[in-house]
Amino acid sequence: MSSLYKEITLPNGVKYSQPVGLFINNEWKSSSKTFETLNPSTEESIASVYEASAEDVDLAVSAAKQAMKTWKDVPGEEKARKILKLAELLESKLDLFAAVEAMDSGKPLETNSKPDIQSVASYLIYCAGFSDKLHGKVIPIDKDRYAITKRYPLVVGQIIPWNYPLSMASWKFCPALACGCTIVIKSSELTPLSLLLFADLVKEAGFPPGVFNVISGFGAVAGNRIAEHPDLDKVAFTGSTVTGQKVMKAAAGNLKHVSLECGGKSPLLVFDDADLDQAAKWAAFGVMYNSGQNCTANSRILVQDNVYDKFLQLFTAELKKSWIVGDPFGKKTTLGPVISKGQYDKIRNYIKKGKEEGAVLILGEDDEQLKSLPKKGFFIPPTVFKDCQQKMTIVQEEIFGPVVAVSKFSADSEAIEKANDSIYGLAAMVFSQNFGRIQSVADKLEAGSIYLNSSNDEDLRVPFGGFKMSGIGKELGEAVIELYTETKSFYMNVSHKL
Ligand code: NAD
């Protein structure tokens, strides 16, 4: 086995070969530098992977540009067959991919990693259907003239975060492949392994060289080069709002298409006529799943004053019962570690700040679960602050951890005002059994996805994307075709006359 693969034994004892190079033109190549990826449960190094320089990005872009010359003429049906083959290959290795992500990102194997990988296969299947249905429109102008529009694929750069390594990547590469784009995709420097492993499947599924290029590397170098690259028609980014702003600035130099999926601070509203048992369960799921490292996490909860105490009691009981911190490979674990030392320190700082600013900690650091936590690893137990005020840092800023800020409201109008008092607008959740009330409140909430009597149960067929500083453009559903095609208009003069 060459040094472009490393033999790894997973925590469950399974051995596999992990590619560690840069995947360009369907070949693995080395680069001049490497970096380590760590297991967040043990803080130990798993592997060194090759790091892309700006010049390596140029090579990958050149491969993608060259591949477009012939790939654009391949019929949609043939593209669809390759995408379906990719889904089949991934499903046949679901357990391996899930275990790799559990090791590299700390996701609980059964409750997070497996559903994540399954969702990638499902999204490949969903998007394959678009490949031969990329229609334009016919627009009648007058009796002798009409126009038609046609869609054209793009050479795209895609930049991915660490919280759903392969799944967030799939939100970008599935529609891009279906639309006939060629791709240079960069994983997060914290979780490079599953996307590298996936690249071998791309080749096996029969995609020609240069259609799908995968690089590992850091944002300031490789990410920035993707964002500014003159030969990429588009950059699609998922990550923090601050980085999204940098990506947009870098892309402005070449006026390339930009889509951004950024941060959030999503409010969950509990009205006094809600089913409180169910609201507590959804609220716990919506903020603890994936250790709270979820762009749509309901990290703010607003509860009507007359059910405030009752809700808090149900909510904390649910957290204690269902959100079990531990080893991602453990059978009972539902809450793994957070991704890194940096993220761990950042979350701990927010907890400190919450206490300093006067929020009341009712579950968290003194919780029983802490005693049974491993000595190593970036573990944080479910943490709840009550009696939070709008101006507090933990109410305004995205924490991206298993920490939630609960506040009170009296009137519906106050709930709406507090919910909208945020720079973000990714998601919002409303709990009430009065449909009229729900509709009237939900219409006024400034967010791209509104969950009525649920939280974070999004579906791949439904458009997803933020308002305000949560992003630009809609992924998923049919809406995503707009992100990966450019439309050309043809004016047809049937009479030839002026
Ligand atoms: P991040 O912004 O730190 O990094 C995201 C990616 O951008 C990484 O691949 C990184 O290498 C790259 N990057 C960093 N600096 C760059 C630069 N100057 N130019 C180009 N690329 C650069 O985000 P993260 O910590 O990986 O992810 C967490 C964030 O992602 C949270 O804010 C979360 O809300 C957001 N997120 C949003 C969605 C969504 O759909 N809206 C989904 C998942 C995560």
Side-chain angles (χ1 to χ4, degrees):
M1 194 59 58
S2 84
S3 63
L4 292 167
Y5 282 82
K6 180 179 178 192
E7 294 299 316
I8 291 180
T9 305
L10 289 157
N12 60 7
V14 172
K15 292 184 175 22
Y16 81 106
S17 279
Q18 171 66 51
V20 292
L22 307 174
F23 186 76
I24 299 176
N25 255 331
N26 276 6
E27 283 174 6
W28 292 106
K29 74 178 277 304
S30 60
S31 65
S32 56
K33 272 168 117 178
T34 58
F35 66 94
E36 307 256 302
T37 183
L38 299 187
N39 177 339
S41 306
T42 61
E43 305 180 35
E44 282 163 13
S45 170
I46 304 169
S48 288
V49 302
Y50 283 100
E51 176 188 336
S53 63
E55 292 71 31
D56 294 317
V57 173
D58 291 352
L59 278 180
V61 172
S62 156
K65 199 177 166 192
Q66 183 65 26
M68 180 56 93
K69 289 182 183 159
T70 44
W71 184 239
K72 67 180 167 43
D73 295 325
V74 171
E77 183 183 327
E78 198 177 320
K79 288 174 179 148
R81 286 180 190 278
K82 292 189 195 310
I83 298 172
L84 291 171
K85 177 73 186 167
L86 197 46
E88 192 187 312
L89 290 171
L90 182 63
E91 277 183 328
S92 73
K93 298 194 169 172
L94 192 142
D95 287 349
L96 172 64
F97 274 82
V100 170
E101 287 218 336
M103 171 179 66
D104 201 22
S105 74
K107 286 170 185 287
L109 180 66
E110 294 299 329
T111 53
N112 286 47
S113 294
K114 287 187 180 174
D116 274 15
I117 302 300
Q118 182 56 56
S119 81
V120 177
S122 300
Y123 196 38
L124 283 164
I125 293 166
Y126 175 78
C127 285
F130 288 139
S131 295
D132 58 355
K133 299 175 194 68
L134 298 168
H135 306 305
K137 284 185 174 166
V138 177
I139 303 164
I141 297 174
D142 63 27
K143 74 178 174 41
D144 287 331
R145 292 184 307 147
Y146 65 96
I148 60 170
T149 63
K150 278 174 75 177
R151 294 181 180 278
Y152 293 83
L154 308 168
V155 182
V156 298
Q158 305 183 319
I159 303 173
I160 308 302
W162 44 261
N163 61 337
Y164 289 86
L166 197 61
S167 161
M168 276 296 104
S170 78
W171 284 28
K172 304 212 174 332
F173 66 66
C174 296
L177 287 174
C179 288
C181 299
T182 57
I183 301 170
V184 175
I185 187 165
K186 186 188 95 58
S187 54
S188 164
E189 56 273 33
L190 294 172
T191 50
L193 299 184
S194 54
L195 190 57
L196 291 174
L197 194 59
F198 184 75
D200 267 344
L201 301 190
V202 171
K203 186 171 176 180
E204 197 180 337
F207 286 89
V211 169
F212 192 98
N213 305 280
V214 178
I215 59 168
S216 312
F218 290 85
V221 179
N224 181 61
R225 186 62 186 147
I226 289 175
E228 69 176 11
H229 206 291
D231 289 338
L232 289 171
D233 303 316
K234 178 199 166 85
V235 58
F237 167 82
T238 297
S240 63
T241 295
V242 171
T243 309
Q245 289 170 313
K246 289 184 193 163
V247 166
M248 201 165 174
K249 274 187 197 147
N254 290 296
L255 274 197
K256 64 166 56 106
H257 298 262
V258 176
S259 53
L260 305 173
E261 294 286 358
C262 297
K265 188 75 189 176
S266 302
L268 182 147
L269 279 48
V270 183
F271 290 94
D272 56 4
D273 54 6
D275 177 334
L276 292 183
D277 274 323
Q278 290 302 322
K281 284 183 183 154
W282 278 110
F285 170 77
V287 69
M288 292 304 151
Y289 190 74
N290 215 38
S291 299
Q293 303 166 124
N294 215 346
C295 52
T296 47
N298 49 250
S299 53
R300 293 189 283 153
I301 301 181
L302 298 160
V303 189
Q304 197 148 23
D305 44 14
N306 51 342
V307 292
Y308 186 73
D309 292 335
K310 177 76 184 153
F311 173 81
L312 277 174
Q313 184 202 329
L314 292 167
F315 181 53
T316 48
E318 170 65 12
L319 290 174
K320 286 181 185 163
K321 181 175 129 223
S322 303
W323 293 92
I324 312 301
V325 187
D327 173 8
F329 286 81
K331 285 275 174 281
K332 290 189 178 148
T333 302
T334 47
L335 199 72
V338 299
I339 188 69
S340 63
K341 177 82 169 79
Q343 191 64 18
Y344 177 84
D345 289 344
K346 189 175 145 200
I347 297 166
R348 296 294 297 245
N349 261 332
Y350 276 117
I351 295 172
K352 189 164 157 265
K353 202 140 200 165
K355 288 189 214 160
E356 285 166 6
E357 291 181 2
V360 181
L361 185 73
I362 55 168
L363 188 72
E365 285 176 319
D366 303 325
D367 183 71
E368 275 297 296
Q369 292 217 45
L370 259 187
K371 296 181 191 139
S372 57
L373 289 185
K375 296 281 168 283
K376 286 233 165 195
F378 310 121
F379 292 93
I380 297 186
T383 302
V384 181
F385 282 101
K386 70 169 186 174
D387 300 349
C388 297
Q389 304 298 321
Q390 276 303 112
K391 61 179 186 323
M392 289 178 178
T393 311
I394 57 167
V395 173
Q396 291 297 332
E397 295 186 10
E398 184 182 43
I399 298 174
F400 226 55
V403 181
V404 60
V406 188
S407 333
K408 253 183 221 174
F409 68 87
S410 306
D412 291 14
S413 56
E414 184 190 346
I416 296 164
E417 198 181 313
K418 285 183 168 170
N420 288 340
D421 175 24
S422 169
I423 60 167
Y424 297 112
L426 197 52
M429 299 79 186
V430 185
F431 284 84
S432 160
Q433 297 191 76
N434 175 339
F435 193 74
R437 189 179 194 184
I438 281 192
Q439 192 59 50
S440 138
V441 169
D443 264 348
K444 297 183 186 85
L445 294 176
E446 296 162 355
S449 298
I450 313 269
Y451 299 91
L452 307 174
N453 293 319
S454 74
S455 178
N456 280 277
D457 61 343
E458 72 263 353
D459 188 281
L460 299 168
R461 292 163 294 189
V462 182
F464 177 96
F467 285 17
K468 304 200 272 189
M469 290 184 78
S470 287
I472 299 175
K474 298 284 180 215
E475 296 192 319
L476 306 185
E478 283 178 71
V480 74
I481 292 172
E482 293 298 327
L483 297 190
Y484 288 105
T485 53
E486 186 148 56
T487 298
K488 201 184 277 185
S489 302
F490 298 81
Y491 286 84
M492 321 289 275
N493 181 0
V494 182
S495 74
H496 295 244
K497 289 181 195 147
L498 182 64

